[in-house]
Amino acid sequence: MINCTRKTTCRICRSSDLIKVLDLGKTPLANSFLQEKELLKQSPRFPLRLYFCSVCSLVQLCDVVNPAVLFKNYHYITSASKPLAEHFRLLGAEVLRRFIKTKKDLIIEIGSNDGALLGSIKKRCRTIGVDPAENIAKAANRKGVKTICAFFSGRLSEKIVRQYGHAKVVIANNVVAHINDLHELFLGVKNLLTADGVFIFEVHWVGNLIGSGGFDQIYHEHLSYFSLHSLNHLAQSVGLTMVDVVLFPVHGQSMRVYVGKTKQRNKSVAAFLTMEKKRGLNKIKTYNTFSKKIEDNKKKLVRLLFNLKKQKKKIIGYGAPAKGNTLLNYFKIDNKIIDFITDTTPLKQGLYTPGTHIPIFAPEKAREERPDYVLLLSWNYADTILKKEKDLQKEGAKFIIPVPETRIV
Ligand code: DWN
């Protein structure tokens, strides 16, 4: 099986005018957590290099890892992060309120994961999930959320329309960035939608990646790092209209984008496009300062951790997010510095981080071991976690928040 191919043209506009803006070196796959027996063999590593398209401004990876390697057996479960599950429950409620008229109306979610969103609305309309992860699709079906275990494609779009009809709403949260053939995705969604249907999707916003120095969101699953400008280019290329956009403080900052066959656009779209222009997101120079910010933060965090280790301090990690593995591997922070990591995802407990071999335990372990410092790898949930772990702090543990800038709270 070919595990990694190289694209030489932009995945939205097909221009070959791509400029490299960041090179994180050969890196293990961010969600390829290891069992103990796998520690002896080297994790496969693939180039992790970010490019900017001079024509449509899409920031993207050109080294494309085989999706079957990335997603067929997946460790990420939406419901393991309560704030995220709540965020998607609220989206489900909004969709019902604004777009669903009868129980016969169909909602399709691409990348439906464990059915966290569809499960919250399936009594009020017809729902179908699509997800390639065999382990997770099985669990969603067991929960009564009808899930087709497959990668979304034009052919699957045709099959779904033949079998279930057209959808009033198609949803795809934290999925569009993972898909290599964006034209097939958008054309397949267009085929699924009724004439008044809407495609609602959430993607991490490249303005936050650049603004916050949150480089750890860069890993092989995330092929694209979108601006609204680049998404608008894509929608127009398949005859769809960018209808609305809202920014949420999720995964740093994510855009929720509404796309449809209608011609009406909310004024939010023009305002957002103007803001992006003002931020220089369509200019290569904006991205060149990005790597400097990362190197400065790397020096600050590594120096802090090495000094704490020299003082024999006990340091653990909190949360084993995919992004955490980009940071740990690029900053070369391994099991000699971090004693263990805790995570609420049962699938990850008992496993080890790829490349750095740090063991992962359930959250209780943190309370048993009474650490001096806690490196918050799931920094995007800092508010929730700091509230939840007040006792740990009362016992003297200090939290290190590594992104956007290393700081101790
Ligand atoms: O696109 C993707 C993003 C959106 O989600 C996927 N490629 C994979 C995944 O990335 P991630 O793993 O960086 O996502 P999260 O949601 O930032 O991961 C948080 C991790 O932290 C989870 O493993 C759960 C864990 N966690 C925890 O241990 N205690 C989370 C919370 C809120 C907690 O209190």
Side-chain angles (χ1 to χ4, degrees):
M1 170 161 61
I2 299 178
N3 283 340
C4 189
T5 53
R6 181 109 174 75
K7 265 185 86 60
T8 55
T9 56
C10 172
R11 79 171 40 84
I12 285 188
C13 71
R14 301 198 167 101
S15 157
S16 54
D17 191 358
L18 297 169
I19 305 162
K20 185 159 77 172
V21 292
L22 186 66
D23 187 342
L24 295 178
K26 288 205 168 193
T27 307
L29 301 178
N31 265 310
S32 60
F33 294 96
L34 302 169
Q35 294 175 23
E36 186 153 15
K37 64 178 191 275
E38 295 172 298
L39 292 178
L40 294 175
K41 62 180 190 203
Q42 277 294 330
S43 298
R45 289 170 175 262
F46 302 93
L48 193 50
R49 299 177 286 203
L50 208 61
Y51 291 81
F52 171 81
C53 172
S54 308
V55 173
C56 73
S57 313
L58 179 66
V59 176
Q60 58 200 290
L61 301 186
C62 293
D63 301 289
V64 181
V65 174
N66 183 333
V69 171
L70 288 170
F71 302 112
K72 288 304 267 180
N73 181 39
Y74 205 45
H75 287 107
Y76 182 75
I77 308 281
T78 305
S79 304
S81 300
K82 287 196 173 37
L84 196 64
E86 175 60 9
H87 171 75
F88 290 143
R89 189 192 64 75
L90 292 172
L91 169 59
E94 176 199 324
V95 167
L96 289 175
R97 193 176 60 252
R98 292 181 58 186
F99 303 106
I100 299 304
K101 304 268 180 300
T102 79
K103 285 188 91 163
K104 287 207 194 71
D105 285 343
L106 175 62
I107 296 181
I108 296 170
E109 183 178 10
I110 301 169
S112 48
N113 196 268
D114 63 344
L117 192 156
L118 293 182
S120 68
I121 58 175
K122 67 185 175 73
K123 290 197 177 68
R124 303 275 303 279
C125 58
R126 289 188 299 142
T127 65
I128 297 172
V130 177
D131 199 289
E134 288 156 4
N135 58 326
I136 297 175
K138 209 179 286 163
N141 278 307
R142 265 204 305 272
K143 265 174 31 177
V145 178
K146 178 169 183 40
T147 303
I148 300 169
C149 182
F151 287 100
F152 183 73
S153 64
R155 187 174 303 161
L156 181 60
S157 165
E158 298 292 349
K159 193 171 159 208
I160 291 173
V161 170
R162 278 198 305 276
Q163 204 165 346
Y164 302 99
H166 290 279
K168 284 300 283 292
V169 180
V170 175
I171 297 170
N173 294 319
N174 306 124
V175 179
V176 177
H178 302 54
I179 292 176
N180 189 30
D181 188 335
L182 292 171
H183 292 86
E184 180 179 26
L185 167 68
F186 269 57
L187 286 168
V189 169
K190 185 179 178 182
N191 175 55
L192 284 178
L193 287 172
T194 57
D196 63 344
V198 61
F199 177 31
I200 304 172
F201 60 94
E202 282 187 21
V203 290
H204 183 240
W205 179 47
V206 74
N208 175 253
L209 179 84
I210 299 304
S212 74
F215 80 100
D216 53 351
Q217 300 269 8
I218 300 168
Y219 43 89
H220 298 96
E221 291 178 24
H222 294 166
L223 293 171
S224 302
Y225 301 79
F226 292 109
S227 59
L228 190 69
H229 175 82
S230 57
L231 283 170
N232 193 34
H233 201 111
L234 172 62
Q236 286 174 346
S237 71
V238 296
L240 289 170
T241 302
M242 188 67 69
V243 176
D244 197 358
V245 58
V246 183
L247 207 49
F248 283 93
V250 168
H251 295 301
Q253 279 184 309
S254 295
M255 292 186 283
R256 178 180 294 165
V257 181
Y258 300 73
V259 172
K261 296 175 180 173
T262 161
K263 292 294 165 227
Q264 278 107 6
R265 279 173 85 159
N266 186 313
K267 54 183 183 317
S268 62
V269 172
F272 204 99
L273 292 171
T274 305
M275 177 270 288
E276 287 190 337
K277 235 184 178 130
K278 281 208 185 99
R279 297 274 295 263
L281 294 188
N282 57 342
K283 297 259 179 297
I284 181 63
K285 66 176 183 345
T286 307
Y287 301 91
N288 288 333
T289 48
F290 177 41
S291 31
K292 171 104 177 47
K293 202 182 274 186
I294 298 167
E295 294 311 317
D296 294 347
N297 194 29
K298 175 175 178 177
K299 285 194 197 91
K300 191 171 173 187
L301 178 60
V302 169
R303 194 180 310 123
L304 169 67
L305 293 175
F306 271 87
N307 287 339
L308 292 175
K309 214 61 204 163
K310 261 194 332 218
Q311 299 162 34
K312 303 262 180 285
K313 298 295 183 188
K314 180 185 283 219
I315 311 169
I316 69 166
Y318 196 106
K323 67 172 90 50
N325 291 315
T326 292
L327 185 138
L328 293 171
N329 278 290
Y330 188 59
F331 284 13
K332 295 192 176 22
I333 300 167
D334 61 12
N335 54 8
K336 292 192 270 313
I337 298 174
I338 307 287
D339 295 354
F340 62 86
I341 292 172
T342 68
D343 193 285
T344 47
T345 314
L347 276 178
K348 295 180 182 177
Q349 294 161 10
L351 300 181
Y352 293 77
T353 52
T356 50
H357 296 182
I358 303 169
I360 301 166
F361 293 91
E364 294 65 43
K365 178 89 173 170
R367 294 173 198 103
E368 288 159 21
E369 296 292 323
R370 302 166 68 103
D372 300 305
Y373 287 86
V374 183
L375 178 60
L376 186 53
L377 294 167
S378 298
W379 51 264
N380 45 317
Y381 300 113
D383 296 349
T384 308
I385 291 170
L386 292 173
K387 257 193 221 107
K388 185 165 77 162
E389 298 300 350
K390 279 257 169 282
D391 293 351
L392 213 52
Q393 291 172 300
K394 276 196 198 114
E395 283 164 13
K398 288 189 173 47
F399 277 77
I400 301 170
I401 300 180
V403 173
E405 184 97 23
T406 296
R407 62 196 171 98
I408 299 177
V409 295

